[in-house]
Each structure stands twice: as C-alpha cells, then as structure tokens.
Amino acid sequence: MKVLSIQSAVAYGHVGNSAAVFPLQRIGVEVLPVYTVNFSNHTGYGQWRGPLISPDDVRDVITGIEERGVLPQIDVVLSGYQGGEGIADVVLDAVARVKEANPDAVYACDPVMGNAVSGCFVAPAIPVLLRDRVVPAADIITPNQFELGFLTGTEPADLDSTLEAVDAARAMGPRTVLVTSVERPDRPEGTIEMLAVTDDGAWIAQTPRIPMKANGSGDVTAALFTAHLTRTGDAADALARTTSSVFDLLERTHDSGARELALVESQESYASPRMQFAVTRVR
C-alpha cells in the first residue's frame, strides 16, 4: 500500500506527518510525505520557528512525484490540518490527479478545526472551506464529535443524535466516517469512545479516558484507521486495531510524563495491537 500524506511537519515532537508517517511505516505502508509547513515544533507551545510552505511549492512537490510515474500506485491520499486556504486547492487537485491515475484510490480527510474544550483553533475561513469543498470530495473523514457538529450544523450528544449527524455527514459525500472523542452523557464515568460508520453498519469502541492533552494523537488515529480499512475493507477490525494502538500510545505517553507522544517507544502497539477493547455493532 502507498499513501500520499499531505500534512504539516515538525522537527521536535509529533504532529501531522511527523505523527502519521512512522506508525504507517511500522505496519508496512509506504508513505510519500508532502509537507505543508516545516516548523521547529507544533504551535501549541506558543512559539515556533520555520516556514509555511507556499501552496505553489507544495503543488510542485506533488507534480514532481507525478513525473516519476508514481500516481497510479497511490492507494490513499491523506490530509489533516490545513494552515491556509490555498492548501485545500492543492489537496483537492492532488486527489483528482491520483484518482484519474488510479480510480480505486481513496481520499481520507481529517477535518481539523478544534475540539469541545478549546473551540475552533483554525482560521475562520477553514471550517467553512472544509465543510463546503473538502469534505464533499472525501471518501473517509475522521472528525471529532465537535467537528462533526460543525460540519453538519447539529449538536451530537447521545448515540442516536451522533448517528444522525454521521448520516448527515455521509450525505455530503464521504461514505466512511470515524468519529473520535465521542462523549455520550450515558457512558460510564471515565470513558471515551470512537464510532465508525460505513455502508455496512456502525460500530463503537469504548476505552478508559486518559487525562491528558495529546497533540498529534488525532493524526495517528486518522492514519492507522484509514490504512487498516483500506487494506481489509472491515471497519470493525480497523476500529479495533486503531483503538488498541492509540490507547496504548496515549497510556505510554501519560505514564512517561512527557508532553510529546511516545511515538517510537509505542511501535509494537501499531505492529501488533493487543485488541483489548470490544467493538460493538450499534446499527
């Protein structure tokens, strides 16, 4: 499997491609990383150095890949945080070119906007751009519950309303939706869930909630789920593997006391997930 991953990169820490690439490689996926920024560290520190890469330069890198004759071999185009409006055009153009070369390729979009605690942390134009242009072009999207609400103009809370919001999102274009950070009011205290919905059904997985902010964990989640699903076509299995791997990554990070993900130290959790959490069919 080959994945064209168009995301940010940092020298220190793990977000964007600096979070997604290694776990994918560890499960045997060949990744072609294309960077949209090249920062010293993620912006959550409040200070960082390094350049935003212009949309034209990002497009040039993709054109160079195309000139090597690689696009027919690409199985997945993956995108995450979009720092500026111009990157969306580049991503959508890349998706169109890859799908022309390989009609079986899929586009997986993590529509990064914010979360229920922090609210939106992207430029005001980005959520609208994602909703109106990017998400409709995607085959797979991986919003958190907050982002799902913005995309669909709803306030998903319990399972029924979350499933209704997913149906609204799927009506926009993507056939597969993975909802992360699902917090139902009737869930057991101290837990959190992920919900996967495809044409074949809907499945939910519940884990203990780890009390930490983990920049980059969503990037790992989107990458692993997309790769597992594309390989097998089995959403329940992809959800189980991803849930197991990401939980162990977060638990190891929390136990270490480090601010950055214990990405390398957790590599066996990607290659051989423990499959310790049940996946329940809910539709």
Side-chain angles (χ1 to χ4, degrees), residues 7 16 32 47 68 113 129 154 195 200 214 225 243 259 263:
Q7 301 196 57
L32 287 71
Q47 292 181 319
R68 302 285 71 76
M113 304 176 199
L129 180 64
T154 63
L195 172 71
D200 296 325
F225 178 80
T243 301
R259 178 169 180 174
L263 195 79

Side-chain angles (χ1 to χ4, degrees), residues 53-119:
I53 300 174
S54 75
D56 287 343
D57 287 339
V58 177
R59 193 187 305 270
D60 277 348
V61 172
I62 297 168
T63 298
I65 294 170
E66 183 177 33
E67 290 170 346
R68 302 285 71 76
V70 178
L71 295 196
Q73 304 169 32
I74 300 295
D75 301 291
V76 176
V77 179
L78 175 65
S79 72
Y81 172 78
Q82 299 191 17
E85 298 175 54
I87 293 298
D89 289 330
V90 176
V91 171
L92 292 173
D93 180 61
V95 170
R97 289 152 74 180
V98 167
K99 288 194 170 190
E100 183 177 7
N102 177 14
D104 293 328
V106 298
Y107 170 38
C109 169
D110 185 8
V112 179
M113 304 176 199
N115 56 60
V117 175
S118 305

Side-chain angles (χ1 to χ4, degrees), residues 93-158:
D93 180 61
V95 170
R97 289 152 74 180
V98 167
K99 288 194 170 190
E100 183 177 7
N102 177 14
D104 293 328
V106 298
Y107 170 38
C109 169
D110 185 8
V112 179
M113 304 176 199
N115 56 60
V117 175
S118 305
C120 275
F121 49 64
V122 298
I126 297 297
V128 176
L129 180 64
L130 288 168
R131 182 192 64 200
D132 294 349
R133 295 190 55 215
V134 180
V135 165
D139 301 288
I140 301 168
I141 60 171
T142 59
N144 60 37
Q145 196 171 25
F146 171 85
E147 292 160 344
L148 176 66
F150 178 87
L151 290 173
T152 59
T154 63
E155 295 184 7
D158 59 11

